[in-house]
Amino acid sequence: LAIISGRGEKVFKLKSQKRFELLILTQNKMVTAKDSYHRFDEQDKAPDPVTDKAVSYLQDGNLQGFLSTLKNDLYIPSAEILPEIKENLLAMEKAGADKALMTGSGSAVYGIFLSKAKRNKAYKQLKAEYGKYLIKTKTLW
């Protein structure tokens, strides 16, 4: 787990005893960062900073609090451009993810699972439909 800033070149490792089990669902279509940010700017909304609160929950061991703060301000504009993002996110939630989010400006989504068994069950459920676009992994730290 880390806080990434700048253009991805600034990486600040977070100390956590918890490793999260993940599924990543990619696709063969994409949203460009330029298009996503442009659509976000058109909505005239300010980003909602949640990083400090999320880090505090994580360091306190409050996993539900941590998961509840996670969000991606670019989700709505990216899903408007590419509706499959919303469909994939809903599939991840339906499969039992404790939290499902879009990566960066899209177009992949990922599910966070609090147990390996729960992640593996979701993997089996989603694998038949999504095949090579589904990746099973976990956090490193």
Side-chain angles (χ1 to χ4, degrees), residues 11-68:
V11 179
F12 302 95
K13 182 179 173 184
L14 295 175
K15 293 180 181 175
S16 173
Q17 299 300 316
K18 178 66 179 165
R19 294 177 95 172
F20 294 98
E21 302 294 328
L22 306 169
L23 289 179
I24 302 170
L25 182 52
T26 65
Q27 57 185 357
N28 61 358
K29 298 177 184 177
M30 63 176 270
V31 175
T32 66
K34 179 181 176 183
D35 289 344
S36 183
Y37 278 97
H38 180 72
R39 180 71 61 102
F40 178 81
D41 290 342
E42 287 176 343
Q43 294 178 353
D44 200 28
K45 292 182 179 179
D48 183 16
V50 297
T51 303
D52 290 342
K53 185 183 273 190
V55 170
S56 177
Y57 280 135
L58 182 65
Q59 291 175 337
D60 290 344
N62 182 343
L63 299 182
Q64 292 302 324
F66 172 70
L67 294 176
S68 73

Side-chain angles (χ1 to χ4, degrees), residues 72-85:
N72 186 331
D73 290 318
L74 295 177
Y75 168 68
I76 291 174
S78 293
E80 288 173 355
I81 296 167
L82 186 61
E84 288 90 339
I85 293 170

